[in-house]
Structure formats: C-alpha cells, structure tokens
C-alpha cells in the first residue's frame, strides 16, 4: 500500500513533466480508451508555451533525470513497443548531462583505485564528455618509463541508488499494464524493463564494460579493418575504467574525414560488414554503433568505443539471421518463412504458406527499388507488423539486432547514399553459411551433437532416479489427496483479500493524484 502510494507520487511528477513538455499532444486520441481521454485533455491544458516545437519526449526525459534518459535510449531500440516513428524520434535523444566536479571525480578514482590520483596518473584533464551514468576524462599514465594517453571513465556518485528507485517505478507501471492489457502481455513489458534493468546494471559496473571490450578485442584480433582499444586493467575497477585513448577521426566529423582523404565509400561498406561479421561469426556485437562511437585511426582501421551496450546471439539466432538475410537476398521467401517456424518463433498452428506470402510482401518492394530508395526502417516496420499478425512473441535479442542494423546502415548511407546493403552483406552472409551450414559445419555439428548425447547418457541414472521419486510423490498425492490445514486456508484467504483491496485503493489513489496534480498546476 505504502509502496503503491510512493510509486504514485513519483509517477504523478513524471506525468506533470510530460504534460508541461507537450508529450501528450503527440498521442493519437483514437488509441486511448474513453476512460483515459479526459486525463489527456487535462494534461494538454498545462503545456508550457513553446512546448509544441522540437523533440517533446526527449526534452521531458532529459528533465526527469538519468534513469528516464536511459529508458528513452533503450526504448529507441524497441520499435515493437513504442512504434517506429517514436523510436526514430528517440534516436535523437542525446545522453548528455552536466559533468560532476573534478573533486568528486578525483574522490571516486582515489577510493576505487585505493591510491591518490597523482600516483595512478601522471595527469588527468577536466571531463571531456558527460552522460547519464559516467563521464570521461583524458589522462596520461606511465608504463615502463613511457607516457601513454588514456581515456578514464568515472561512474557518477550515487547513480545506482537513483536508478534503483526509478526502475522500481517502471516495473510498477509495466506490471499493471500486463495485468489489464493483452497487448502489453504480448509485448512482455515486464521483460522489457527487466532487460533494461540488466543492461543498466552491467553499464554501472565498469569492469563488465572492460570485459566486453576485452572479449571483442580477442574476437577481432585478426580482422584487418577493425580493432578495439586496449584496456588498462591495473587502473580499472567497478567505478573506474581506463582504456587506450583513440586519436582517430570520429565518423560524425565528415569534414576531417574529407581532409584526411578517407575513402568514405569503402568506409561505409566496412561499417556494415564489420557489424555483420561480429554478429554472425562471433555472436557478440556492439549494439550502440552510432557515429560518435566509431573512429578511423591513422592506419585506416575502424575503431569502436563505449562497450556499455552489447548484443549476443546464440548459434540458433545466428543461423536464423544468416538464413533470413540470405532468403531476402535470393528472394527465397518460402525458406525465410520456414526458418521462423523451425526456430519456434511463429506458433505451429499458423500456415507456412501464408507466412511466406506475408514475407514476400516485405521483400518484393525492396527488390523493385534502387538501392538508395530502400528504407530499412520501413522494412523493420513491415516485419514487426507481420510478426505481430502471426503471434510471434517479442524476441529482445533480435529486436536489438534489427535496430542496430538500421543504425549501422544509416551510418554507412551517410558516406554512400547509393549503398546497396544487400550487395555489401552478401559475401559475409554467404561465407558464414558455407562455413557453418556446409560440409565442414555439418561435421562439426555432428561431433558437437555426439558430445551432448554422451553427456546426456552419462546423466541418465540420475534422471531416472529423480523421475522415480517424483512418480512416488504423485502416487501419494493421488491416493491421499492434497490436504491444507484450516489455518493455512484462512491465511490464504486473508492475504488474497488484503492484496485485492490494496491494489484497488492504490489504483484509485494514482488516478486521483494524477488528475488533482494536473488541475492544480493548470491554475499556475
């Protein structure tokens, strides 16, 4: 009860900020049930002057603080939840906040490294960038008598407590939505917030970001056109991450790229092929490949930074991705449909033929247009509509993959507007398929399967013993029945009545608080 009131108060404040920034003005009234249209109209009364211009939602999320800012960035990767148009708007959300003081940064570094800053670094600059979770300083370290430039990422003080508080509000809203909305259950909103929560938890332990960078560096050590900055593990802890400083040209600085005579057409192809190679070959990819996180070093290699958001694909998903891409490239829509069914993504009661027909509706417009006219955002929209029509449940790992593909293509197209993503992707996809689905891949798959079968056979006696125990317990329950003590039954009933009554009261309080705040503020 008290927790519900606390959530209600904080959510009422968030609703007020949304109303002031005009967020409710972009909501389609036709999508709102009749009971919710009155609060929406009330919210429109307190829009601040000038709220109708610019990115309304981005402004509101920035005002609400780090957790809401991160929520907006995360939802930009989930167009299946917020819609493609809203996701595209959220892509412009800049994760930039005022930096915290140098003294606070020094205190965090000294406490984390257990030594004064002067002993850990030869020099440390003021912050050069600040975001919702951490900020970055440029530093110099001495290694074997040689001075080296490093990037020092420092976690914001007390950021974990604030995220924990706001995430509890998000869980509250998602849980209530799933209780009363079948569409919310299909989209698995609680799982969406769970995924975000896990992602944020990993971002707030900078050792995990360092580990992600180290893993990607190991995966790509033999790649001729891609590399990852080296981690300084001696100066990396939970709250501090120290890495090699990259002096390359950021991909969003087109002027410097032109002055350096970088082949931008080849660079666009390099971005796409590197991403696909990581996703298919390694099953581990950088999921935040916007131009500010990508550099070209003096040797012409592509360098990625900021490994807070990473994506993983198991062999099943990698095979799914490869066959889907190859199916679109070769226009084999029947195979694309079959892959969805084989992976268990589409329920078996649907027709493969009907699903293939729907996939054809997505693929044919692509092949009937020139390369520069193909919109991956439009393709994503159609794909999400089709999967919803055929009861395909949300697959977070695939949504993140699809979203990253759209971002990567946007980066590549900024260098070559006529880029044909299918032509560029074709050699990488075919190489993976030949390697993993061809004769060598089948032999390796058979050996792996034989190993798994041997492990299962070795565990068979334990499995049989557990099965006999369960059967004996079921036999006792069938013969004697499941008996509950009278006090247990009474306690269950009492608990259920309290839960129902508390939930009802909490919902009424939330509604009254929301409307009351809006009406009071409308008089200001």
């Amino acid at each position: 009860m008290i927790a519900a009131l606390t959530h209600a108060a904080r959510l009422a404040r968030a609703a007020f900020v949304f109303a002031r920034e005009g967020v409710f003005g972009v909501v389609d009234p036709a999508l709102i049930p009749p009971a919710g249209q009155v609060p929406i109209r009330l919210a429109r009364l307190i829009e601040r002057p000038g709220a109708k211009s610019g990115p309304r939602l981005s402004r509101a999320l920035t005002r609400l603080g780090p957790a809401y800012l991160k929520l907006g960035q995360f939802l930009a990767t989930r167009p299946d939840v917020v819609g493609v148009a809203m996701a595209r708007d959220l892509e412009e959300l800049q994760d930039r906040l005022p930096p915290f003081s140098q003294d606070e940064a020094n205190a965090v570094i000294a406490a984390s490294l257990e030594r004064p800053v002067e002993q850990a670094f030869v020099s440390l600059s003021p912050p050069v960038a600040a975001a919702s979770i951490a900020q970055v300083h440029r530093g110099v370290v001495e290694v074997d008598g040689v001075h080296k430039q490093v990037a020092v990422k420092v976690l914001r003080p007390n950021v974990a407590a604030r995220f924990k508080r706001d995430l509890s509000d998000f869980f509250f809203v998602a849980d209530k939505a799933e209780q009363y909305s079948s569409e919310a259950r299909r989209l698995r909103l609680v799982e969406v917030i769970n995924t975000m929560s896990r992602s944020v938890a990993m971002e707030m332990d900078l050792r995990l970001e360092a580990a992600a960078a180290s893993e990607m560096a190991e995966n790509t050590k033999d790649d001729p056109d891609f590399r990852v900055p080296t981690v300084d593990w001696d100066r990396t802890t939970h709250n501090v991450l120290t890495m090699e400083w990259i002096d390359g040209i950021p991909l969003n600085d087109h002027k410097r790229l032109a002055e350096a005579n970088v082949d931008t057409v080849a660079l666009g192809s390099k971005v796409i092929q590197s991403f696909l190679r990581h996703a298919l070959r390694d099953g581990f990819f950088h999921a935040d490949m916007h131009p500010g996180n990508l550099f070209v070093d003096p040797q012409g290699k592509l360098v990625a930074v900021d490994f807070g958001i990473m994506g993983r694909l198991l062999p099943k998903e990698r095979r799914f991705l490869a066959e889907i891409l190859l199916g679109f490239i070769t226009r084999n829509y029947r195979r694309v449909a079959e892959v969805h069914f084989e992976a268990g993504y589409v329920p078996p009661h649907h027709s493969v033929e009907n699903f293939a027909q729907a996939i054809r509706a997505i693929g044919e417009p692509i092949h009937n247009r020139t390369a520069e006219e193909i919109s991956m955002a439009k393709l994503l929209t159609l794909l999400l509509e089709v999967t919803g029509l055929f009861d395909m449940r949300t697959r977070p790992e695939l949504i993140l993959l699809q979203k990253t593909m759209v971002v990567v293509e946007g980066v590549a197209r900024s260098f070559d507007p006529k880029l044909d993503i299918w032509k560029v992707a074709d050699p990488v996809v075919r190489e993976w398929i030949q390697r993993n689905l061809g004769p060598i891949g089948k032999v390796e798959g058979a050996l792996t399967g034989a190993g798994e079968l041997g492990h299962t056979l070795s565990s068979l006696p334990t499995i049989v013993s557990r099965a006999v125990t369960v059967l004996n317990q079921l036999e006792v329950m069938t013969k004697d029945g499941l008996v509950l003590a009278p006090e247990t039954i009474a306690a269950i009933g009492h608990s259920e009545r309290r839960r129902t009554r508390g939930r009802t009261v909490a919902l009424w309080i939330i509604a009254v608080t929301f409307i009351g705040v809006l009406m009071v503020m409308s008089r200001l």
Side-chain angles (χ1 to χ4, degrees), residues 216-393:
M216 177 161 271
E218 186 175 321
N219 291 341
T220 61
K221 64 181 184 296
D222 296 325
D223 289 6
D225 52 9
F226 183 91
R227 76 179 185 91
V228 172
T230 304
V231 176
D232 183 343
W233 286 103
D234 291 335
R235 296 171 180 83
T236 294
T237 65
H238 184 286
N239 297 323
V240 178
L241 167 60
T242 306
M243 302 180 73
E244 168 192 1
W245 180 268
I246 300 299
D247 274 323
I249 305 172
L251 264 60
N252 55 10
D253 194 338
H254 288 240
K255 181 179 178 181
R256 286 181 61 193
L257 290 172
E259 291 172 351
N261 295 318
V262 174
D263 185 346
T264 53
V265 173
L267 181 60
S269 298
K270 190 182 299 183
V271 170
I272 289 178
Q273 291 186 341
S274 293
F275 164 70
L276 287 175
R277 195 173 291 116
H278 303 158
L280 287 172
R281 181 193 64 195
D282 308 325
F284 188 58
F285 61 92
H286 195 302
D288 194 18
M289 291 183 70
H290 64 75
N293 282 342
L294 297 173
F295 295 79
V296 176
D297 71 6
Q299 289 73 43
K301 286 190 174 185
L302 190 66
V303 186
V305 299
D306 194 353
F307 301 89
I309 304 176
M310 305 296 292
R312 286 193 184 275
L313 295 176
L314 297 175
K316 173 183 173 181
E317 281 78 29
R318 287 148 69 181
R319 175 172 180 166
F320 173 81
L321 170 64
E323 295 214 53
I324 289 294
L325 290 177
L326 185 63
F328 275 115
I329 291 170
T330 61
R331 303 170 77 173
N332 187 351
Y333 305 119
R334 168 78 186 199
R335 182 56 191 153
V336 173
E338 289 173 347
V339 170
H340 278 79
F341 281 82
E342 290 171 3
Y345 294 156
V346 176
H349 64 268
H350 285 291
S351 163
V352 176
E353 290 75 16
N354 288 342
F355 191 62
Q357 179 182 351
I359 294 295
R360 179 178 292 273
I362 298 173
E364 283 304 293
I366 292 174
H367 291 281
N368 290 335
R369 295 176 182 272
T370 58
E372 61 268 28
E373 293 178 320
I374 300 173
S375 168
M376 285 298 291
K378 185 175 181 180
L379 173 67
L380 179 60
T381 303
L382 292 172
L383 185 59
L384 292 173
E385 288 176 357
V386 167
T387 55
L389 182 64
F390 285 84
D391 301 322
M392 177 174 166
R393 298 196 70 186

Side-chain angles (χ1 to χ4, degrees), residues 384-461:
L384 292 173
E385 288 176 357
V386 167
T387 55
L389 182 64
F390 285 84
D391 301 322
M392 177 174 166
R393 298 196 70 186
T394 299
R395 306 290 306 184
E397 70 279 8
L398 297 181
I399 293 293
L400 183 60
L401 175 79
Q402 290 170 325
K403 182 61 182 177
T404 309
M405 287 181 68
V406 173
V407 174
V408 166
E409 189 202 16
V411 174
R413 285 273 172 83
S414 69
F415 298 122
D416 181 10
K418 296 186 176 182
L419 179 77
D420 185 343
I421 186 173
W422 305 107
K423 184 177 180 180
V424 172
D426 187 56
V428 178
V429 176
R430 288 185 187 276
E431 177 185 359
W432 188 89
I433 286 180
Q434 290 172 1
R435 174 65 181 81
N436 291 273
L437 304 183
I440 296 178
K442 289 179 179 178
V443 170
E444 290 181 348
L447 292 175
T448 301
E452 292 176 353
L453 179 60
H455 177 72
T456 301
L457 290 175
S458 66
S459 305
L460 194 57

Side-chain angles (χ1 to χ4, degrees), residues 151-167:
V152 185
K153 192 171 185 177
V154 185
L155 206 66
R156 282 186 177 273
N158 304 317
V159 68
R162 185 164 184 179
F163 266 93
K164 182 178 180 180
R165 183 197 70 189
D166 289 338
L167 282 170

Side-chain angles (χ1 to χ4, degrees), residues 60-77:
L61 293 173
T62 302
R63 278 188 59 186
L64 287 168
Y68 282 86
L69 193 63
K70 188 61 67 176
L71 175 66
Q73 287 188 305
F74 181 78
L75 290 178
T77 70

